[in-house]
Structures are given as C-alpha cells and as structure tokens.
Amino acid sequence: MLALRLARGAHPLVLLRRLLVAAASGGTGFLLLAALGHAAAHPATAADSFVRLLWCAVPVAATIQLAVSTARTDPASRPQRGMSAAGLGPVRLTVIAATSTAVSCVLGSFVALLAFLMVRGDLVGATAADSAAQLLGAGHSLPLAGAMILLAVVPVTAATATAVVLRPRRNARGAGRRMGASAGAGEPLTAMDTNSTASAVPAALPWGMALTAAGLALETYVSRGPANADTLLPLPGRLIGSPPGVLAGWALSTLGLVLAGPGLARLSGRLLAAGRPGAVRLLAGRVLQEESRRIGRPLGVLCAVASGGYAAVKVYEAAPTRPFGPLTGLGAALVLACVTASALTAALEARWARTHTTAALRRLGTPRSVLFRASVLRVLALLVVLGPLTWVIAELAALPLLH
C-alpha cells in the first residue's frame, strides 16, 4: 500500500518512466504468450516453439534492464534525511522500490493478456484474423498455468533484480557522503580530477574489445561454409537451420561491447581533457570520466543493439524474400526502445549524482552557459568515439552473412 501511495504522489516524469516499464512488460508478455500460443497450435513442432520462446529472452533482458534503471532513478528509493526515524530505512526503501517495479510489470502483463486474448478472438464477440490464427494459435486452447507462469517471469525477475541492485551498501553510502562533503566544500574540479586519474583505463576495456574481436572472428569462421539460402538470417522459428556459431559470435560481440562501455566512456572523457584544454573542455572531460562507470554499461548495451539491428537490416536487404514478421518487428522495436530509455535514464541518474558538484560550481560563479556547453561536448565526444565503432562492428558482423 505504501508503494502505491508513493506512486500516486510521484512526479509526472517518474510516472512516465513507470508507464514505460509497464509498456515494455506488456510487449514482452505478449511475445511470451505468442510463443505459448504457437506451441499450443503446433504440438508436433516442439523444437520450433522452444526456439521462439528462447528468442523472447532478449526482450525480457531489455525490459529488466529498463525496470532496474527506472528504479535507480526513482526518488522514492533514495534515502532522505529523517526517513529512517519514520521507519523507512535503506532496507525498507529497497523493498518499496522492488514492489513498485513489480506493480508496474504486473500492470503491463495484465494488459498483454487482455490484448493477446482479444487478438486471438478468445473474448466474447471477437473474431480472429487469419494472420492471428497462424501467429498466435487462435482456435486452440491456451494452457492457463503456462500463461500465468510466463506472465510472471518479467515481474518476478525485475523485482528481484531491483532488490539486488538497490540493496544497502555501507561503503557506497560512506563514499556518497564523502563526495557530497567535498562538493559542498567548493572543490568540485579537484575532487573530479583526483577520482578520474585514479585509474586511466578500466581493466574491462581490453577484455571487452578482445571478446568483441573473438565474436567477430567466430562468426566469420563458421560462415565460411556453403550457405543455405533458406536459413540466411536466424529468425524465431528458423533458428534451427542456422549455424549456432553465428549466434555465439553475435553474443560474444554484444558481451564485449557491454564490458567495454565504461572504458570507452572514460576514453572519451580523456580525449576531451587531453592537451591544454580550456575550462569548458576540462569540465566536460572530467565529468565524463567520473560518470563513465554509471553510463558506460547502458551505452554499451545500446551500441550492441544498434550494431545488431544494423547488421540485421543489411542482411534482410540482401534477402528480400524474407520480410520482417510482425512479432519480429515488435521484438526489435521493444528491445531498441528499452535500451534507449535505459541509456537516457542512466544519464538522468548521472545528472542527479552530480547535483552537489553543479551547485558548488554555481556558487563559484560558473555561468549556466558553460555547464550547457560542457554537456553538449560530452554528448559529442561519446558520439565521435562510439558511433564509428558501432558502425564498424555492425559492418564486420554483417559481412560474413552477405557472401
């Protein structure tokens, strides 16, 4: 009940993010139910139905990432002065955040169930189209227990992930108090300079790039054999005839980009602050280095999804006989929307984390135009570093499948 009251009195932007989580949960639930409906309508092709269900793991992971990112930026999950005395300590706030995440996901799953039954024609007075009968298994009984279990996957997993990520950490709270104290003392640039130069390049950057290169090499190796024109691109229901090494290569490349994301963000900040920078460039570079760990992983996921989507479009252009299906398009749009929203949410979280530093700079007389130009420089630096890298990886990933 407390989670519902906090949700009712939340800021409109917070409510919008929770609605995005509910929409993502609804889309993912619809895909899961579609896989179940296909299995019910085609019991003889159990392997094909299982592959369709496995493909749903990608939108499930993207939805969980969005839900956790939204919970991290929710003001109700942040410890405030006097809340412990009212019985809202760190543990209680974590429980509230997990409950709010579960409520949003359950709402989306309920809407997904209604939409699924309506499209299938199971509701009173509704008729299913031929396309719905083929895709969703209209006219065949749907296992109620299986549907409930699949719809519970996203709420349970998202709530558990939120509780794990937001669990109280004594060292993190102490570091936060020290950072706030140093910012309040009017030394924002000195604090950022000390923290950012502590480690020049994160250790995960070379590992991430090595995994990306290994994934591309694996995909190239397994694609050298005679290609079957009917299985050029693995789709839900057609994955069985595709080389498993291609998917393994894509998975390795994706994992490499995610691991390398913080290092690439820090590298962008170091490039901004290289040489003899002015005040704006120095501020932009130091802030970007400080925020590299917070925004790096979501940006790495976004780059991985963008490169995979670009490669998929290139392959489809070379194989016009296999157009996008409605469920494939829904899954791709859902994943892209989730990872984009997660990256924007991480940027909002980083902006909130440097509130004390920004306030200290304002007290020192820093104009707002300087802060705005520093923000623009940070975005441009990330685009310059991550944009070409994403394009190169996408081209290399699609090249073996085009020949």
Side-chain angles (χ1 to χ4, degrees), residues 95-252:
V95 174
I96 291 175
T99 304
S100 300
T101 301
V103 169
S104 300
C105 294
V106 167
L107 176 62
S109 298
F110 178 73
V111 175
L113 179 60
L114 291 181
F116 180 78
L117 295 177
M118 184 178 299
V119 175
R120 271 174 49 101
D122 293 337
L123 298 181
V124 178
T127 56
D130 294 338
S131 58
Q134 296 177 0
L135 293 175
L136 307 180
H140 298 80
S141 60
L142 192 69
L144 181 59
M148 294 298 102
I149 291 175
L150 290 179
L151 289 178
V153 168
V154 174
V156 172
T157 310
T160 304
T162 300
V164 171
V165 171
L166 298 182
R167 68 186 185 277
R169 296 181 179 89
R170 181 175 303 177
N171 293 336
R173 292 199 301 269
R177 287 193 295 267
R178 289 194 299 271
M179 184 178 297
S182 64
E187 301 175 358
L189 289 178
T190 303
M192 285 187 292
D193 182 75
T194 302
N195 293 332
S196 59
T197 56
S199 59
V201 178
L205 178 58
W207 286 104
M209 300 310 296
L211 281 178
T212 302
L216 294 175
L218 177 61
E219 181 186 351
T220 303
Y221 177 77
V222 300
S223 301
R224 290 187 306 174
N228 187 350
D230 293 332
T231 58
L232 181 60
L233 180 66
L235 280 177
R238 311 184 69 160
L239 182 60
I240 301 174
S242 302
V246 173
L247 298 180
W250 278 8
L252 282 178

Side-chain angles (χ1 to χ4, degrees), residues 369-386:
S369 59
V370 172
L371 300 178
F372 176 76
R373 283 184 289 167
S375 300
V376 173
L377 277 179
R378 291 196 296 271
V379 175
L380 291 178
L382 290 174
L383 290 177
V384 168
V385 173
L386 298 179

